[in-house]
Amino acid sequence: MNNNSLEINKGLINFIQASPTPYHAVKSLVCALEDAGFICLEESSEWKLEPGQGYFVSRSGSSIIAFKTGNGDLPVHGFRMVGAHTDSPCLKIKPEPEINQYQYGQLGVEVYGGVLLNPWFDRDLSIAGRIDYRDTKGNLGNCLINFEKAVAVIPSLAIHLDRDANDKRAINAQTYLPPLLTQTDDGATFKLKDMLLDYLVKELDLEDAEKVLAYDLRLYDVQPPSLVGLNDEFLTGARLDNLLSCYVGLESLIASNDKHGSLLICSDHEEVGSVSAAGAKGPFLEAVLERVAEAFSYTNSEAKRRMLDKSLMFSVDNAHGIHPNFPEKHDDKHGPLLNHGPVIKINANQRYATSSETSAFFRQLCEDNNVPVQAFVVRNDMGCGSTIGPIVAGELGVKTLDIGVPTFAMHSIREMAGSKDAAYLATALTAFFNR
Ligand code: CO
């Protein structure tokens, strides 16, 4: 690993650790953007934008768009855009979650997205998310919460009680998953909202918080990401899909010049289909682009259409590396290797938005910047995943490319990437923004 990789991996590890939920990811992005001089915009306020300045705007607290207006003519040069997602598959706490049985306090959980469930057992879990509460004056407020310490665990059933566990263990997501949080005295019951209110008042100093009304809370693994391998070849951690792309997109946007308009969108709800006010299938990106155009007095639809026609979107989301224990799961000509650079994702049925034109653009960009490139096509006898790429292309009509770093164990509680690939991706994305 060179110095560039070391530095970017260090930043990425800190970013992932500080971002257990999409809300925290947006908060981490906002902190970095503010440090870099980007100005916060509210959707509810009037926008007055300057050329050569960076701005950001968030929606629902879990999606964010950051952009540099650049010094060029937007209808002539368009926006160079990078898209990623803030959410990861996980277990969310149900609204009436308490299960009190055998003097254990447990929580009912809902499965968010395509979770690989097996690795969630026997991990040290914490809780983070957003709390919505009422204060003593009757006002509604909300805050982010992160217990940081391990407060829950989902114990496996011992193999002695399930002799077939290694051959055919199916997981019943309703009954097997409720984690244990506490042990109660005989007859006493554990109440989550009481515990949360106590935390708000005592730990977050929200002394006028009176009642927790609702929340969006998730379980996460407290083990920080780490470099692994005899020579630190690998990076393991939760939420590499897709906080790796969010972080690299952020660093690349900050490092980019102000020649043309450049933009990073990190959306929530990708793992559940992107249909929401804050998701990529909602109107967030279109609304922001429209307002930027109008702020620079490109008010007629012709100018906006020209801007979109000149724009290009890189949808950046992790790819599947060929797994040495399961090589039969890949087309043998399209098995990306960890540490061999970003992967261009191609699908004839438009599950990925890459065209030969956008693919050629990226290959040229990488060649010019000494970044190795790989290609992925799913086997014809298997189904294909998707990304926000086809969604954005379909909604805006913008030319789009699907790329991402190769990984193993996607949607596990602990995923794995190559330790060189974040730096390769950063070089490519910065060059794209600067082009
Ligand atoms: Co993803």
Side-chain angles (χ1 to χ4, degrees):
M1 251 195 310
N2 60 23
N3 283 344
N4 199 12
S5 280
L6 277 174
E7 198 183 322
I8 202 151
N9 287 332
K10 207 172 125 203
L12 173 61
I13 287 170
N14 291 337
F15 180 80
I16 290 172
Q17 197 58 3
S19 310
T21 74
Y23 305 107
H24 291 85
V26 166
K27 188 179 157 195
S28 302
L29 290 161
V30 165
C31 289
L33 290 163
E34 281 180 339
D35 283 349
F38 284 64
I39 295 168
C40 177
L41 298 170
E42 301 290 341
E43 282 201 273
S44 54
S45 306
E46 211 178 312
W47 291 6
K48 290 201 172 62
L49 307 181
E50 301 286 330
Q53 174 62 48
Y55 299 91
F56 65 87
V57 52
S58 62
R59 189 179 272 202
S60 304
S62 59
S63 292
I64 187 166
I65 293 174
F67 58 93
K68 287 182 172 175
T69 49
N71 290 302
D73 209 358
L74 287 174
V76 177
H77 302 288
F79 268 103
R80 283 118 180 92
M81 300 190 279
V82 166
H85 62 90
T86 56
D87 62 323
S88 302
C90 66
L91 302 180
K92 290 177 73 162
I93 298 173
K94 289 179 177 175
E96 302 294 341
E98 294 90 354
I99 303 167
N100 287 285
Q101 54 183 354
Y102 305 102
Q103 290 180 249
Y104 295 108
Q106 293 175 261
L107 291 176
V109 290
E110 206 183 352
V111 179
Y112 176 85
V115 180
L116 189 60
L117 289 172
N118 263 310
W120 279 76
F121 290 82
D122 310 320
R123 307 294 305 188
D124 298 344
L125 304 174
S126 189
I127 294 172
R130 189 169 79 171
I131 311 262
D132 291 80
Y133 62 90
R134 184 179 67 213
D135 68 19
T136 47
K137 295 189 195 81
N139 300 318
L140 298 184
N142 63 64
C143 63
L144 299 192
I145 188 169
N146 181 1
F147 283 88
E148 291 181 26
K149 84 180 221 56
V151 292
V153 64
I154 310 169
S156 290
L157 182 64
I159 194 160
H160 316 75
L161 306 180
D162 182 9
R163 290 288 180 189
D164 294 332
N166 290 333
D167 299 322
K168 47 182 175 193
R169 185 175 179 208
I171 296 171
N172 182 319
Q174 174 66 20
T175 58
Y176 290 15
L177 295 180
L180 276 73
L181 261 83
T182 189
Q183 201 162 22
T184 52
D185 293 335
D186 201 9
T189 53
F190 160 70
K191 288 228 167 48
L192 179 70
K193 283 182 183 168
D194 293 351
M195 189 265 275
L196 293 174
L197 183 63
D198 203 51
Y199 192 89
L200 257 52
V201 173
K202 291 187 183 143
E203 303 292 329
L204 301 184
D205 293 326
L206 294 166
E207 277 151 26
D208 56 354
E210 185 184 66
K211 188 175 186 189
V212 171
L213 297 173
Y215 52 72
D216 178 354
L217 294 174
R218 295 139 202 252
L219 294 160
Y220 72 93
D221 187 354
V222 295
Q223 186 182 358
S226 60
L227 291 168
V228 178
L230 287 176
N231 300 298
D232 286 347
E233 292 93 332
F234 310 115
L235 173 70
T236 58
R239 304 180 299 286
L240 292 176
D241 174 16
N242 194 5
L243 293 184
L244 186 151
S245 309
C246 291
Y247 179 73
V248 173
L250 167 81
E251 290 298 308
S252 305
L253 180 70
I254 288 173
S256 69
N257 65 30
D258 279 310
K259 208 161 125 198
H260 302 306
S262 48
L263 180 148
L264 171 69
I265 174 166
C266 298
S267 304
D268 195 4
H269 298 144
E270 191 274 343
E271 298 291 359
V272 293
S274 295
V275 182
S276 73
K281 213 165 162 41
F284 187 31
L285 178 58
E286 190 173 12
V288 168
L289 288 174
E290 197 163 303
R291 293 182 69 170
V292 173
E294 276 166 20
F296 286 102
S297 304
Y298 301 121
T299 46
N300 64 27
S301 66
E302 202 242 14
K304 287 181 213 161
R305 288 290 147 197
R306 283 166 58 211
M307 180 179 88
L308 287 177
D309 185 64
K310 282 293 176 186
S311 296
L312 178 60
M313 161 73 79
F314 283 9
S315 161
V316 189
D317 205 345
N318 297 348
H320 302 297
I322 186 166
H323 193 309
N325 299 352
F326 305 93
E328 71 282 4
K329 296 292 179 187
H330 275 74
D331 178 305
D332 59 9
K333 303 282 278 182
H334 301 93
L337 301 174
L338 270 55
N339 288 317
H340 285 243
V343 179
I344 301 175
K345 299 191 256 181
I346 297 150
N347 182 256
N349 299 303
Q350 295 297 307
R351 301 286 293 164
Y352 302 128
T354 309
S355 67
S356 69
E357 185 187 7
T358 58
S359 180
F361 175 86
F362 188 66
R363 283 185 181 277
Q364 178 74 42
L365 184 78
C366 288
E367 212 172 288
D368 292 348
N369 292 279
N370 298 316
V371 173
V373 189
Q374 314 182 72
F376 174 77
V377 176
V378 79
R379 290 176 61 98
N380 287 332
D381 52 7
M382 286 172 64
C384 188
S386 194
T387 74
I388 65 166
I391 294 171
V392 173
E395 299 279 316
L396 290 182
V398 167
K399 291 183 199 73
T400 302
L401 168 77
D402 265 294
I403 52 166
V405 304
T407 61
F408 296 144
M410 192 182 283
H411 293 191
S412 168
I413 198 165
R414 204 160 176 85
E415 300 173 325
M416 179 168 169
S419 58
K420 290 182 187 167
D421 286 324
Y424 283 141
L425 182 64
T427 303
L429 296 188
T430 307
F432 169 49
F433 284 137
N434 287 346
R435 195 122 168 152

